[in-house]
Amino acid sequence: MPRKIRSDVRAALRACRLWRTASDEAVDDLAGRATVRDVARGTVLATEGEAAGSFGVLVTGKARVYYLGADGRQITFEVVETGQPIAAVAAMAGSRYPANIETTTPATIAWLPQEALFDLLEREPRVARTIVSELAGRLVNFTAIVQTLALGVPSRLAGYLFQRVLSTGKPSARGLEVDLGMPKGELAVALGTVPETLSRAFSRLRDEGIVEIHGRRVTVLDVRALATMGSGFRE
Amino acid sequence: MPRKIRSDVRAALRACRLWRTASDEAVDDLAGRATVRDVARGTVLATEGEAAGSFGVLVTGKARVYYLGADGRQITFEVVETGQPIAAVAAMAGSRYPANIETTTPATIAWLPQEALFDLLEREPRVARTIVSELAGRLVNFTAIVQTLALGVPSRLAGYLFQRVLSTGKPSARGLEVDLGMPKGELAVALGTVPETLSRAFSRLRDEGIVEIHGRRVTVLDVRALATMGSGFRE
DNA sequence: AGGTATCCTTGATGCGAGTCAATTCCCGCT
DNA sequence: AGCGGGAATTGACTCGCATCAAGGATACCT
């Protein structure tokens, strides 16, 4: 018998880019097979090396995909937002999780068995093209991550701020104002560094007249310089 | 009218993992649409930022996929061998090439229009599942590359030597002997560093009694230590 | 207000790796 | 043998970042 489908779950699955060309019926089928779970901030959703039998979709909240180095250092690959899939790649590859995933806010996650996705592929072949494009696009983005890691911390910070400006920037008296979206300590980890170094990177951007810092809010005075630095060109 | 299909081209396409579940007819169709070209060693097959309208399959030879940093430094992502696709990911993503590709030997390449691959997806839906798995698998592997880059040069060298031991290692008087397969200067670039630093990394492995160095040939005395160091654990 | 805990900043220090420059090694050449 | 010339090594130096160790700043709680 069909399980009752939560409307927020249906909406989240419907919003998922990965199968955006799927029919509503197919999405409802996915929703019907989902196991929904609410978890607290900081919950580990997947650990490296664990077999990937299922994947999830973030109904609410945010999560972070990171690799844990041998010495305990973390590298954040990706920040997952509401409506995006979790661990779907590992599930499709039929492999083990290559990284760890942790929620950075309280979150609601719809878990789906790996087979649900393959069933979808069988049922609606046109979805295949979407998924192929989507996966390939992510692969292309990955090279960008590698490039980013080759840059220094100030450049990575500039890149992050620039993204923030594009997505949530608001005009204010002196320039564009953005909120960091997380405590600086977390941001440091997300950028693959430590709070001290991040703090110095902020100081440098301030000294160069590119930004003004007011706690967690940042006023961008020179967007162009931010973009240039974020692409890796030296001052 | 059907073009004449070269048997080596057909064989190379047939051997391609990406569409290994495709029918022979579909592969022949691909082969018929291929433009075959012979190039010298060191030919640049694709450059970063160029629009990806077509993709290739290596019929013979080898190529190297690398990213050219803003300061001219290179990072090798991947070595492409005979029978593997080139730039297929960018073509599927419909994006620009995210990296550069260069042949490292004389090579024969079969170039295919991007559409040929999508036509294949339409014609044979079961191929979609293969491609999805394959792409996802590559995505998983990419995380390994990122992890490698986060390690120090000695660890990257150890990792490379360990791979060489597995693939071409031969027992000798004191241990396993491997050939580097390329001049040290090239190896340095492939590992994302410079000859001086590579030289010091070799010295360190020698001082720790893990290897002996005789020009381009290396005798591995302690495989276990090599593997450990290659996975990123500190001495 | 006072106190406390958390977060952020600042300074001092050490390590890894790239750069520059000077040899030294090895290989082919005549 | 003797002699270039490129490749590989070694040393001295510099730079960026992590670490350790104190200080501030801010918010919250009673």
Side-chain angles (χ1 to χ4, degrees):
Chain A
M1 64 189 153
R3 206 184 311 183
K4 183 173 180 190
I5 297 173
R6 281 172 52 168
S7 64
D8 56 347
V9 171
R10 173 189 279 130
L13 291 177
R14 180 68 274 183
C16 208
R17 280 184 59 82
L18 205 52
W19 46 76
R20 62 181 182 279
T21 53
S23 67
D24 286 337
E25 292 71 35
V27 173
D28 278 352
D29 178 58
L30 284 180
R33 293 164 76 175
T35 307
V36 182
R37 199 173 305 171
D38 294 301
V39 300
R41 172 173 184 274
T43 304
V44 174
L45 300 177
T47 56
E48 188 183 345
E50 189 184 346
S54 58
F55 67 98
V57 172
L58 264 184
V59 178
T60 63
K62 289 185 192 176
R64 185 169 72 88
V65 182
Y66 63 96
Y67 164 64
L68 200 56
D71 53 356
R73 182 157 316 138
Q74 300 183 352
I75 302 170
T76 299
F77 287 136
E78 191 186 5
V79 174
V80 183
E81 313 249 351
T82 297
Q84 291 181 342
I86 291 170
V89 170
M92 285 188 271
S95 68
R96 297 171 180 279
Y97 296 125
N100 306 286
I101 307 178
E102 185 184 286
T103 53
T104 53
T105 67
T108 304
I109 296 133
W111 287 102
L112 287 159
Q114 180 180 347
E115 273 311 310
L117 190 55
F118 286 120
D119 290 346
L120 174 60
L121 276 186
E122 305 274 328
R123 276 179 55 174
E124 308 201 352
R126 86 189 135 155
V127 175
R129 183 166 177 158
T130 307
I131 291 184
V132 166
S133 293
E134 203 60 30
L135 281 181
R138 281 170 152 248
L139 215 31
V140 170
N141 281 339
F142 248 63
T143 69
I145 293 177
V146 173
Q147 293 174 19
T148 300
L149 283 175
L151 302 174
V153 171
S155 294
R156 299 212 288 275
L157 173 58
Y160 175 80
L161 288 177
F162 185 62
Q163 296 293 2
R164 272 322 263 192
V165 167
L166 293 184
S167 62
T168 67
K170 292 202 172 109
S172 76
R174 314 271 282 284
L176 291 159
E177 190 160 329
V178 294
D179 187 284
L180 293 184
M182 62 182 95
K184 284 183 181 156
E186 261 180 54
L187 178 59
V189 173
L191 293 178
T193 183
V194 294
E196 294 96 319
T197 300
L198 176 66
S199 182
R200 292 183 229 274
F202 266 118
S203 305
R204 191 173 141 188
L205 292 184
R206 173 171 36 72
D207 293 347
E208 293 182 4
I210 300 175
V211 300
E212 273 176 8
I213 304 154
H214 310 103
R216 179 173 305 195
R217 304 193 67 77
V218 173
T219 305
V220 177
L221 307 175
D222 188 345
V223 184
R224 171 156 307 189
L226 205 61
T228 305
M229 181 173 275
S231 339
F233 291 105
R234 300 291 163 196
E235 61 258 51
Chain B
M1 62 188 155
R3 205 182 314 181
K4 183 173 179 188
I5 298 173
R6 280 172 51 167
S7 65
D8 56 347
V9 172
R10 174 190 277 130
L13 292 177
R14 180 69 275 182
C16 208
R17 280 185 58 85
L18 206 52
W19 46 75
R20 63 180 181 279
T21 52
S23 67
D24 286 337
E25 292 71 34
V27 172
D28 278 351
D29 178 58
L30 285 180
R33 295 164 75 174
T35 308
V36 182
R37 199 172 305 170
D38 294 301
V39 300
R41 172 173 186 276
T43 303
V44 174
L45 300 176
T47 55
E48 187 183 348
E50 192 183 344
S54 58
F55 67 99
V57 173
L58 263 184
V59 178
T60 64
K62 288 185 190 177
R64 185 170 74 91
V65 182
Y66 63 96
Y67 164 63
L68 201 55
D71 52 356
R73 184 155 316 138
Q74 300 184 352
I75 303 171
T76 300
F77 286 136
E78 190 185 5
V79 174
V80 182
E81 314 249 349
T82 297
Q84 291 182 342
I86 292 170
V89 170
M92 286 187 271
S95 68
R96 297 171 180 281
Y97 295 126
N100 305 286
I101 307 179
E102 185 184 286
T103 53
T104 54
T105 66
T108 303
I109 297 133
W111 287 102
L112 286 159
Q114 180 181 347
E115 273 311 311
L117 191 54
F118 285 120
D119 290 346
L120 175 59
L121 277 185
E122 306 274 328
R123 277 179 53 174
E124 308 200 353
R126 85 189 135 157
V127 176
R129 182 165 176 160
T130 307
I131 292 185
V132 166
S133 292
E134 203 60 29
L135 281 181
R138 282 170 150 246
L139 215 31
V140 169
N141 282 339
F142 250 60
T143 67
I145 294 177
V146 175
Q147 293 173 19
T148 300
L149 284 175
L151 301 175
V153 172
S155 294
R156 299 213 287 275
L157 172 58
Y160 176 79
L161 288 177
F162 185 61
Q163 296 293 1
R164 279 309 274 191
V165 167
L166 293 184
S167 62
T168 66
K170 293 203 171 107
S172 76
R174 315 271 282 284
L176 291 159
E177 191 160 328
V178 293
D179 186 285
L180 293 184
M182 62 182 95
K184 283 184 180 156
E186 262 180 53
L187 178 59
V189 173
L191 293 178
T193 183
V194 293
E196 295 96 318
T197 301
L198 176 66
S199 182
R200 292 184 228 274
F202 266 118
S203 305
R204 190 172 143 189
L205 291 184
R206 173 171 36 72
D207 293 347
E208 293 182 3
I210 299 174
V211 300
E212 273 176 7
I213 304 154
H214 311 103
R216 180 174 303 196
R217 305 194 66 78
V218 173
T219 306
V220 178
L221 306 175
D222 188 344
V223 185
R224 172 156 305 189
L226 204 61
T228 306
M229 181 174 274
S231 341
F233 292 104
R234 300 291 165 196
E235 60 258 52

